[in-house]
Amino acid sequence: MLRWFITVLLCAAFLGLGMSVAILGPTFQDLATNVNHNISSLSLIFVGRAFGYLGGSVIGGVLFDNMNHFLLLGASMFATTIGLYLVPFCKTAVLLIVVTSIFGVSIGILDTGGNVLILAIWGDKGAPHMQALHFSFALGAFLAPLLAKLALGRMVSAENHTEADFNHSAFSQSSEADSESLLGIPDDMNLLWAYAVIGAYIFVVSLFFFALFMKKSSRQEKAKASAQRFRRAKYHNALLCLLFLFFFFYVGAEVTYGSYVFSFATSHAGMKESEAAGLNSIFWGTFAACRGMAIFFATCLQPGTMIVLSNIGSLASSLFLVLFDKSRVCLWIATSVYGASMATTFPSGVSWIEQYTTVHGKAAAFFVVGAALGEMAIPAVIGILQGKYPDLPVVLYTCLGSSVATAVLFPVLYKLATLPISCQQKEHSKS
């Protein structure tokens, strides 16, 4: 019962994590107004948060091997709460970037720690719970724009913050902050309410983690989880490096398509903005829906099988996108399939590697950093290339190339993982 309670609590935490990550995009213009900057000059907050997330993933990986899981998760969520409450009070761009960077550290710790704790309490039987964890994140990211719409009274699009740099160039307020203080009450109180609601929710969840830390039985549960049999694949380090690359390409392609599909549809496919917004929404909608269904699929399918099916779906759909990039019908169908195919890869990959080699904090931090680097690097490079070659569907070529890379990497990963195990646990090795 305690394991189930911890799992539900982690899903609640990842719901808050998804909301806290996604709320920045829909409120970006309001934050720029609050610090009296234009949007293009404030885009560094995304860079700062990304670097903070990278640092938090590394810090979390180290700390999770050396201190109580519940204490660290509770502390990271409490820090996330403070960051969410501070963001709307920032009156200078520099302070806002610093706060979002520190905020990125806390969510990096929470992301790494949640994955590690699920593996620690469920082991190689944790595939459905891992899918539930990441579905909760996707659900939170879906709910955040709706919350912003209710709080701010405007229509916003899920994961459409990247388009702000392209669609709001007419926003021309002064780029100098003229406020006398670093902190102050925001002019738009609705902005404060949007962040306050999410912050209050995360604070309540953090209290449960602190309660688990204080409870003696939680320490016993941790000791029990730590006593689980230890596996180490013969090529443990090589597996982690290849998984680093696997998640680098996968997450990079996911974020690239989700971020640029709107501008691609309007500029290359000739869609209206309303149609392009619908295409963007259907990608994230099928993505979130399939993550939810994957909870049930994971009870009857092995993680490796789900990865193979996801690779086939993403490879086929990205190939159709490249071949029929001008066809609107194909764009709608292939985008839906591509979003559905990408949904289960990350949680399935984490569950799959646990079957063959034990994943501790540092190992989890390593491949989470790979995913974060892919999220940062690939969209940035594609943005530059798309500007140089506006007539080519660079976004689609990137998705196809990434699908080919993951389809090639996984068989190599499987071959290395199924080689004889170096420690005395050969009888526990299963296909």
Side-chain angles (χ1 to χ4, degrees), residues 13-71:
F14 266 57
L15 179 70
L17 178 64
M19 288 193 292
S20 62
V21 169
I23 194 65
L24 192 59
T27 58
F28 189 32
Q29 183 175 355
D30 301 274
L31 291 174
T33 304
N34 198 42
V35 297
N36 201 24
H37 268 59
N38 58 41
I39 288 177
S40 59
S41 66
L42 198 62
S43 60
L44 280 176
I45 64 172
F46 294 108
V47 178
R49 188 182 66 177
F51 276 107
Y53 177 84
L54 282 174
S57 300
V58 175
I59 294 170
V62 174
L63 292 181
F64 263 84
D65 287 341
N66 297 286
M67 63 183 292
N68 186 281
H69 293 175
F70 304 123
L71 176 62

Side-chain angles (χ1 to χ4, degrees), residues 150-400:
L150 291 174
L152 301 175
R154 68 167 58 91
M155 183 66 71
V156 291
S157 174
E159 282 297 323
N160 207 27
H161 56 74
T162 306
E163 307 305 328
D165 292 335
F166 308 114
N167 300 333
H168 294 90
S169 58
F171 184 81
S172 58
Q173 289 208 2
S174 170
S175 61
E176 283 189 326
D178 57 358
S179 53
E180 298 177 357
S181 60
L182 295 175
L183 296 172
I185 298 175
D187 297 327
D188 186 358
M189 291 301 293
N190 291 326
L191 177 66
L192 174 60
W193 281 112
Y195 281 85
V197 170
I198 299 175
Y201 169 80
I202 292 178
F203 175 70
V204 171
V205 177
S206 71
L207 294 179
F208 284 97
F209 281 109
F210 286 127
L212 283 173
F213 169 66
M214 300 298 293
K215 187 174 174 61
K216 185 178 180 181
S217 60
S218 69
R219 298 178 183 176
Q220 294 172 347
E221 182 68 18
K222 180 191 172 187
K224 179 181 176 181
S226 300
Q228 289 180 340
R229 64 177 182 268
F230 177 78
R231 300 182 186 89
R232 186 176 177 86
K234 185 176 182 180
Y235 297 101
H236 175 83
N237 293 331
L239 276 173
L240 291 181
C241 290
L242 288 175
L243 199 64
F244 177 98
L245 290 175
F246 183 86
F247 285 144
F248 176 87
F249 286 112
Y250 157 71
V251 176
E254 172 199 318
V255 175
T256 297
Y257 193 78
S259 298
Y260 289 106
V261 64
F262 183 92
S263 57
F264 165 79
T266 53
S267 62
H268 188 83
M271 285 187 173
K272 297 178 181 178
E273 288 194 2
S274 58
E275 290 180 300
L279 191 68
N280 195 4
S281 297
I282 201 170
F283 173 77
W284 291 112
T286 54
F287 183 89
C290 281
R291 276 205 168 170
M293 291 188 291
I295 300 171
F296 305 100
F297 293 151
T299 60
C300 56
L301 294 175
Q302 291 291 330
T305 305
M306 296 184 70
I307 293 175
V308 170
L309 293 174
S310 296
N311 284 344
I312 292 172
S314 60
L315 189 60
S317 56
S318 59
L319 180 61
F320 271 88
L321 283 169
V322 169
L323 294 177
F324 306 102
D325 59 302
K326 297 289 187 180
S327 170
R328 296 192 179 189
V329 175
C330 183
L331 278 177
W332 282 100
I333 297 174
T335 296
S336 302
V337 175
Y338 191 62
S341 302
M342 299 290 276
T344 65
T345 303
F346 191 89
S348 295
V350 178
S351 300
W352 176 82
I353 193 67
E354 176 66 17
Q355 292 181 325
Y356 300 99
T357 188
T358 301
V359 177
H360 291 302
K362 296 184 184 69
F366 186 69
F367 57 70
V368 168
V369 166
L373 285 175
E375 181 181 355
M376 290 172 57
I378 294 181
V381 172
I382 297 312
I384 297 172
L385 292 176
Q386 191 67 71
K388 289 186 176 180
Y389 307 100
D391 297 329
L392 294 177
V394 178
V395 175
L396 304 187
Y397 293 155
T398 303
C399 294
L400 178 59

